[in-house]
Amino acid sequence: MGLTLTEKILSAHLVEGEMIKGSEIGIRIDQTLTQDATGTMAYLEFEAIGVPRVKTERSVAYIDHNTLQSGFENADDHRFIGSVCKKHGIYFSRPGNGICHQVHLERFGIPGKTLIGSDSHTPTGGGIGMIAIGAGGMDVAVAMGGGTYYITCPKVVKVELTGKLQPWVAAKDVILEVLKRLSVKGGVGKVIEYCGEGVKTLSVPERATITNMGAELGATTSIFPSDEITREFLKAQGREEVFTPLAADADAVYDEVVEINLSELVPLAACPHSPDNVKSVEEIGPMKIDQVCIGSCTNSSLLDMLKVAHILKGKTVHPDVSLAIAPGSKQVLNMLAENGALAIMIDAGARILESACGPCIGMGQSPNSKGISLRTFNRNFEGRSGTKDGQIYLVSPELAAASALTGVLTDPRTLGDMPEFKLPEKFTINDNMIVPPVAPEDMDSVEVLRGPNIKPFPVSEPLAENIEAGVSLKVGDNITTDHIMPAGAKILPLRSNIPKISEYCFAVCDEKFHDRALEMGKSIIIGGSNYGQGSSREHAALAPLYLGVKAVITKSFARIHMANLINAGIVPMTFANEADYDRIDQMDELKIENIGKQIAAGNTVKVTNVTKGFDFEAVVDFSQRQKDMLYAGGLLNYTKQNA
Ligand code: MIC
Ligand code: SF4
């Protein structure tokens, strides 16, 4: 029986377990990446592990999220990360060099390698045939120290692409179509593998747009084969020597098959407030817009930017629309400047932003009240833009640029002939904003620079014998980590200060949560299905930990958040019978006796609702390693115990 590409790469990196779908496997990690919003914590954790030099083939730290620097906090974090990197063997991509996923694809990614990153869009690397997975900062810290990374051995979904995209229909429309069909939880426990004749019609940046936004499916990762197109891309990046051809076997067996005829796709948009709320431009109908933002790790490549420049050429942005453009990397920005495309954008009235995440994470450019904003980004969760009643639509760069000119949602196919865009044979390469680490023998000469905003992470305790605690919060389905631990210009600078950032924990859902949880001392959270979808931020586990949350009981969890809860020593459980969700109210007192023994003995625990006087079962389907982590009080305690 033939193997899928996913199975080939995973089995070549397997260090623990067997390739049995649904069981836990441990894999060796070749590369890691961090960004600054999750990086400070990850490097504090790395320091706590005590390994002097990273043991990976390549580890890179990027500064791309917190670049507003509205106070000293961001700059202090940057300086801390830069100094840790220099000392411990990590490459440091300075602020201004670009968005982690875009730069990593350009300068460091290697087909067939494994990459984990403390950012949920790490699967961008799947665009060149990597197994690239988003993870919590602690998992990345452990991997940097040479530790194994654990995942559930995934099912593999084949997306068979046929045909060729019509002019003005984009890679973004491909992934929006997949989201429409599979939903934001359709990818949980799965890797999405793209195959078929249509693959050959897609360039690397287009493939990367598709794998990037596979994160919104909840998938473990997404991957394209590594072929001649990959080789050309790497060659243009001056890195042809890292190319290897990789593909699934012709007789590979998949768990599910999705067929997409590229020729039949039309321009799409994900409507507020979920990436899977996908409609065609026609279905949405005429709509006046207030803002257009082009960029983010999904759509900020040179190819995307050249298309945008072509559309804007010689025209002016509609007087009622604000157009912001953030090219994805220094390389992209540089090349736009060199070939005149930047001047075209400026001439048309675009507001050019730094090569960074920017508006995607609410760092500036929040829309006006009730403002309608078309964005080429990957997430449109409520409030994420910084404007609570902002209406965010996720679209392709083509659709965004066309609409910026007309002031209304515009099908780019109305623009006439689309010129052919080819990637350059050679990109402009200048890695002068990537600082290499010092040689191992010089590491003692590097002082790690800590600012006053950098506070130690909260320490978790070994699992108590009994959990007796009230329900401090009950929430519904599809709660995102942006609800649990919001980001944005005001809160993001506090990422290295858990006591302070926890003041905003769940503030989007209930402003009183922080005070109530602290007052209760210990508590339990009740959630619906797909709890914790979205960002990889471990702050969504560390803030609840700091506020005394001992367990979270939901209908189901998103992958990274569930791992982060266990890493933090908080017990994630799911209702054995979902109807029990309705029988619990906020402030009910719950009791779980002998929780450690119950977890050791089987897959369920008995929970008593003391207030309402009934018992129910919660599922605790953990691997032995996860159980041991929970007993120890999280990953760091566990790692130290086993060191
Ligand atoms: C996001 O897109 O939500 C982020 C900000 O990049 C996060 C990471 C973070 O919260 O720092 C992610 O996707 O993991
Ligand atoms: Fe940055 Fe947005 Fe990409 Fe997250 S999704 S890494 S915030 S650009």
Side-chain angles (χ1 to χ4, degrees), residues 35 37-38 65 118-121 357 360-361 378-379 384 482 487 492 495 534-537:
Q35 41 89 336
T38 53
H65 281 63
S118 61
D119 192 280
S120 64
H121 291 101
C357 300
C360 179
I361 191 57
N378 48 38
R379 288 187 175 142
R384 180 173 158 110
D482 277 280
L492 217 46
R495 281 289 181 93
S535 152
S536 67
R537 59 191 74 147

